[in-house]
Amino acid sequence: MALSGAVLTVPAEAAPNADTPVATTQLNKINPVDVRYGWVGASGFQYALGNAGNLQWAEYPGVTPPAHAGPDDLATGTDVQNAGTSGTVTQKHRSTGTTATVTIPTGQTYRAASGWSVLTQDADGALHVLRAAADGTTADLAVTGLPSGARPAGTYATGGSVRRLAVTYTLDGTSSVGLVDLADGTFRTYVGGAGTEQSITFNDSWLVVNRKAIRVDSAPGTAPATVSFPAKPLAVVGDQLLSGEPDFVSSPDDEALTATSLVTGAGRAVLADADGAFRATPDGGLLATAGPNASDFHVYRVLPTGDGNVSAQPVFTVPPNRATVDGLMIAGGELLMFGNATVNAGWDAAYSVPLDPTGRPTGTQVRRSPYVGSSPCLGGDAACPQLEALGDGRFAYLYTGADGKESVHVAGLGIDTYSAEATGSSGGRVGTGTGRYVLYNGGTPATQKVGDFPRGADGETALDRLRSAAAIWGQRLWTPGTTQGSVVAYDLKAKRNVATVNTGAPCTPSEIQAVNTWLYWSCGSAGPAGVHDRATGRNITVPAGASRLADGYLVREDRTTHELLLTDFHTGTATTRTAAVLPTADQNTGGNTGRWAVDRFGGNVAYLTAQGQVAIVTAGVSTSPLAQMEAQTDAAAGPTTQDPWQPVWQLSKPSTWTLTLTNASGNVVRNLTGDSRAAAVRASWDGRWGDGNRAAGTYTWRLTAEARDGQGPDLVTTGTTTVN
């Protein structure tokens, strides 16, 4: 069983003649599934998930279960399952299948069972240990050692042992706790004055009652010692008392599972985020459910180590509850799933799962935005809500205020921040966008605006114009030119036209898309349509229809056959294949970012399956060389630790990078390294050298970025910054 609940790497079932997904994942509920333990033993455990009534079985991976079984060997009882509390008790050694039957004599009442032993009480209050004999009868061993006049008080506790069983009794109004040795039936009192509410944990070495601890082999008359621990006692494992919070909750304030040495008093955290259920095991261990989130939640088996400590190893992955995906985005090797993963209505957010270059998930789901209140869906939307991944870890969406006017919101760099820019319009749509720039097409009035969102700050309107076909790539806005088939590039920083390209279109394009050197144009839904390669000057005919351009290919959905069609044109000739067959029943209203999405930043294709999972298909198209699309490298005042220089380079696809800083003498003073956030390099320098010194002056920076997909040469760019 896999040890990560974040992804389901078994491919989804592919339709005939369609690509087989490389992986599937899903939007998971934030709160983990409650695990309820049934029987636990030395070979595995029984459990139920959530409100399910049926128990399931999980074996410990890599564990050789006990080979011998029989009531004459108490140690093998760590793998014995007892059933029944009256008349007869049926015993089964789980790993070998050996069975035995204990018959409860007339006049005795079942109290507890541990391993091969059954504890009963007769009408006079005396205790008995019963075990199955080899001839099929039941051996009855009277318990001795209880003080004269003592009456068992109704607590018969099992713990981390099959050799002992805890019993409370009252004598002269005082409650005490002791252990029955199940081998010979002797009872010994260990803790007196225990009160009426006791917590009892023990193993073959220690007994802990409330906050008193005593060794089982201590000399008679030894007083228990006081022990301090941070939460509720759960089990004694080796020489360690394990404590935690057994109530099922999920918040940042959850108690960790803590081990406190009963020898030295030293404590340490064994498992962080241990906010699930716990169960002491009869072999002296503990089962604990723990994990940082529902996508990474496991059952751990805690056992003693040879040095007196404990170790926790995952033995079972708790499958998460799936939430409904209401929108998809994929950009720069990140899948963003939009939906409500909470129990509160309307708490929609974007959740990220990182992908490798083939599209396989490489990590767990993480919330990447505040809870989003988006604009109402418009009639005829290709997808709702409208979402646009910007390739720098952020995404854009529309928000409608109380006045009915829309704002472009940008989020994705944190769970409690977003940027906004008012449009003054309503009934609009988010167009394309990359990095800091987002295109907005207004409905009423029908204006077209470009919002500028640098470094995560609030936006401003970089351009306000009449609405037309348009696309943004980097810092350039592409719109139709004045002659048939021409497309003009407007530099949003320089605020002037910088290029005119003849695409070969026999019309004024009604739609334009731009990715790297590729320009897609369309003369309408009936076509024709094509792609112009600015690097070679080639014009490539592609199929007509609503499409989404990526690096070297485009994707469109056939709304009749439900095929998701991928057209590869990177060689100069268009070839089309079926990437997927989508569910016949529409999810949302269909279309890009509704039930499928394309990574424009050197990546792949994602779509929703009929089961509500997200499948990823490898595009299989060679990517363009790594390129810089836009950069924000202006120097920061100082800079200081509190206000560092934070340059951003928007690249065309994901990378690993090194930023080298050199002083005026040519000496390297600092090297910074990292992985891009989606396709953006975000660095931070406080002006200090590697040795901690700081000197004012002008520094040369050199960014070296290596494409994460291994295709194309490294990108190298240089510049200067200052330290005041």
Side-chain angles (χ1 to χ4, degrees), residues 206-233:
W206 293 89
L207 170 66
V208 179
V209 179
N210 299 337
R211 293 189 177 270
K212 299 291 185 179
I214 186 171
R215 286 195 62 89
V216 171
D217 60 0
S218 61
T222 301
T226 300
V227 60
S228 178
F229 44 89
K232 296 180 180 180

Side-chain angles (χ1 to χ4, degrees), residues 70-94:
D72 57 332
D73 185 352
L74 292 189
T76 65
T78 57
D79 210 33
V80 168
Q81 185 175 13
N82 285 272
T85 59
S86 63
T88 60
V89 177
T90 302
Q91 301 176 317
K92 181 177 181 179
H93 193 266
R94 183 81 193 198

Side-chain angles (χ1 to χ4, degrees), residues 74 114 117-119 127-131 141-146 161-167 178-190 202-204 216-217:
L74 292 189
S114 181
S117 305
V118 176
L119 185 73
L127 299 177
H128 300 256
V129 176
L130 308 180
R131 268 194 299 275
L141 183 64
V143 173
T144 61
L146 276 165
S161 171
V162 291
R163 301 173 185 271
R164 292 172 175 83
L165 199 148
V167 175
L179 295 175
V180 176
D181 187 322
L182 298 173
D184 59 15
T186 58
F187 177 86
R188 176 181 166 183
T189 301
Y190 285 93
F202 65 93
N203 62 4
D204 284 327
V216 171
D217 60 0

Side-chain angles (χ1 to χ4, degrees), residues 430-504:
V430 173
T432 58
T434 57
R436 64 189 288 180
Y437 297 111
V438 180
L439 183 67
Y440 169 77
N441 294 310
T444 306
T447 59
Q448 189 170 71
K449 296 186 177 184
V450 176
D452 183 7
F453 299 86
R455 284 196 184 90
D458 263 345
E460 60 183 23
T461 298
L463 184 66
D464 192 342
R465 63 188 300 274
L466 293 176
R467 182 169 175 173
S468 73
I472 289 178
W473 186 254
Q475 64 191 60
R476 291 186 174 184
L477 174 71
W478 295 89
T479 58
T482 57
T483 60
Q484 180 175 286
S486 66
V487 176
V488 175
Y490 177 83
D491 191 301
L492 293 164
K493 283 186 173 180
K495 297 189 180 303
R496 59 184 176 86
N497 292 339
V498 293
T500 300
V501 175
N502 183 6
T503 66

Side-chain angles (χ1 to χ4, degrees), residues 222-318:
T222 301
T226 300
V227 60
S228 178
F229 44 89
K232 296 180 180 180
L234 304 172
V236 181
V237 179
D239 292 331
Q240 306 283 329
L241 175 68
L242 296 180
S243 61
E245 177 53 65
D247 297 325
F248 184 79
V249 292
S250 182
S251 76
D253 299 325
D254 289 349
E255 295 281 357
L257 178 65
T258 301
T260 302
S261 173
L262 296 174
V263 178
T264 67
R268 74 174 183 90
V270 178
L271 291 170
D273 305 303
D275 57 2
F278 304 91
R279 175 68 70 85
T281 59
D283 57 352
L286 174 75
L287 293 184
T289 48
N293 52 57
S295 300
D296 193 11
F297 207 57
H298 308 278
V299 173
Y300 289 82
R301 189 184 187 196
V302 185
L303 292 173
T305 58
D307 59 359
N309 215 317
V310 296
S311 68
Q313 300 298 323
V315 294
F316 175 75
T317 296
V318 181

Side-chain angles (χ1 to χ4, degrees), residues 361-414:
T362 61
T364 58
Q365 169 185 307
V366 177
R367 180 159 70 93
R368 281 277 295 280
S369 78
Y371 295 111
V372 171
S374 56
S375 293
C377 298
L378 301 177
D381 275 347
C384 191
Q386 301 172 55
L387 306 164
E388 177 74 2
L390 302 178
D392 64 350
R394 298 184 293 173
F395 68 99
Y397 62 98
L398 290 183
Y399 171 78
T400 301
D403 60 356
K405 302 296 185 181
E406 291 171 331
S407 296
V408 176
H409 283 198
V410 170
L413 296 184

